[in-house]
Amino acid sequence: METTANSLVTVEKSKTSKIDQVDFDNLSFGSTFSDHMLVCDYKNGAWENPKVVPYGPVSLDPSAKIFHYGQSIFEGMKAYKDTEDSTWLFRPLDNHKRLNISAKRLAIPEIPENYFMEGLKTLLKVDEKWIPKNEGSSMYIRPFIFASGNGFHASPANEYKFMICLAPSGAYFSGKVKVLIEEKYSRSANGGVGFAKAGGNYAGQFYPTQLAVEKGYNQVIWTDDNTHEYIEEAGAMNIFVRINDTLITGPTSDRILDGITRKSIIEIAKDENINVEVRKLTVSEVVTAAKDGSLKEMFGAGTAAVISPISGFGYKETDYDLPELKEGFASLLKKRITDIQYNKAEDKFGWRYKL
């Protein structure tokens, strides 16, 4: 193994590469992994220097607190190749900021910005050949932190691991998504951890989603924990609803993730002179709009799909179909945001970050 280093990040290169075994024309999402990963340990009250090492298993003691008390957080982001073979990131400092917001809520030590950014940039440069160049493809990036310290006592761990793994992925096509508005289960509650990207948030969604799938739906629309009267999120994504020519999304709160794609869509929509309202949205308002024809579009917004159009929804044993629009807000906004990400258009917002 070849070992190199800069002032902060040590690089230990793998002797061999798996890249020749990968079909870059047929990449699924998040199931192929590059040759290297970043590892950074928190011990004795401080983060040690990050290391880029060959991708492989992580060894943990059975008493590691991640297994027992769920101290685990993550982020999702992407790197993109343009036609000149340059590599770009999209709002990476927002991902770092949000990772630390999640860390604070779960009593995990925060990661310094230079550890995050220098570690990420070094890893991407080492595995730059893994970044797909096909139309719509990208390098999905998964930073995460978990409790590696040992002990069965219910308290924060004294040791943690910060890691970044890379997954070259093809274009994410969700197809037509039919959703069920949830009337019983909740993904989060006031005062809880819904605003954080905690692993447990997603584990808790699986069972209600499984029930919805058994009824013929693809995903769940989450409602508030108290009354189930307010629309909050779409599966693991933020949700937008278009009534007539107004785009509506709920405000962020203890229960709703401050999505980076969500924030970008709001700014781009305003730049397109689309009327945007960030406010509470009731289920009854959506149902009424579906009945009178003023409900034009619903879509999820997140890193993986960017925008995932919703073709219809179910509520109280009744299904409602949305109109098929050739040129709706969803397609317009997705093109605007992806053109910025792939360096195809002007970035007037200053979101692009060149590697």
Side-chain angles (χ1 to χ4, degrees), residues 149-329:
N150 303 333
F152 290 150
H153 45 290
S155 61
N158 60 358
E159 295 183 0
Y160 297 86
K161 278 189 183 292
F162 166 55
M163 300 181 65
I164 303 178
C165 296
L166 306 178
S169 299
Y172 190 102
F173 295 111
S174 57
K176 292 185 177 180
V177 177
K178 186 179 177 183
V179 300
L180 178 66
I181 295 180
E182 184 56 54
E183 300 176 56
K184 177 181 178 180
Y185 296 100
S186 301
R187 71 171 292 276
S188 59
N190 287 332
V193 296
F195 67 92
K197 286 191 73 71
N201 288 349
Y202 299 81
Q205 294 183 29
F206 295 158
Y207 176 65
T209 303
Q210 180 180 312
L211 296 179
V213 170
E214 290 172 359
K215 293 179 180 179
Y217 300 92
N218 304 103
Q219 195 50 267
V220 168
I221 294 291
W222 299 105
T223 50
D224 69 286
D225 63 303
N226 186 27
T227 65
H228 295 287
E229 293 178 359
Y230 296 96
I231 297 287
E232 295 205 330
E233 291 202 349
M237 308 175 79
N238 295 119
I239 187 169
F240 286 82
V241 175
R242 175 186 174 185
I243 298 178
N244 289 319
D245 287 329
T246 297
L247 194 62
I248 307 165
T249 192
T252 56
S253 65
D254 287 349
R255 303 184 308 276
I256 298 178
L257 183 72
D258 186 13
I260 293 166
T261 305
R262 171 190 175 276
K263 292 190 289 190
S264 305
I265 288 172
I266 291 171
E267 291 197 49
I268 291 172
K270 290 178 179 178
D271 190 61
E272 290 284 346
N273 294 314
I274 294 171
N275 184 39
V276 180
E277 295 182 359
V278 179
R279 62 171 175 84
K280 289 187 175 182
L281 177 65
T282 64
V283 175
S284 60
E285 185 178 354
V286 173
V287 171
T288 298
K291 289 178 178 178
D292 67 23
S294 59
L295 179 63
K296 305 300 183 185
E297 294 179 83
M298 296 173 67
F299 55 86
T303 299
V306 184
I307 287 177
S308 181
I310 294 168
S311 62
F313 68 90
Y315 182 63
K316 292 189 180 298
E317 306 298 326
T318 301
D319 285 343
Y320 301 88
D321 293 325
L322 274 72
E324 292 190 20
L325 303 179
K326 291 183 179 179
E327 296 182 359
F329 287 175

Side-chain angles (χ1 to χ4, degrees), residues 11 93 119 156 182 184 337:
V11 178
L93 294 178
E182 184 56 54
K184 177 181 178 180
I337 197 169

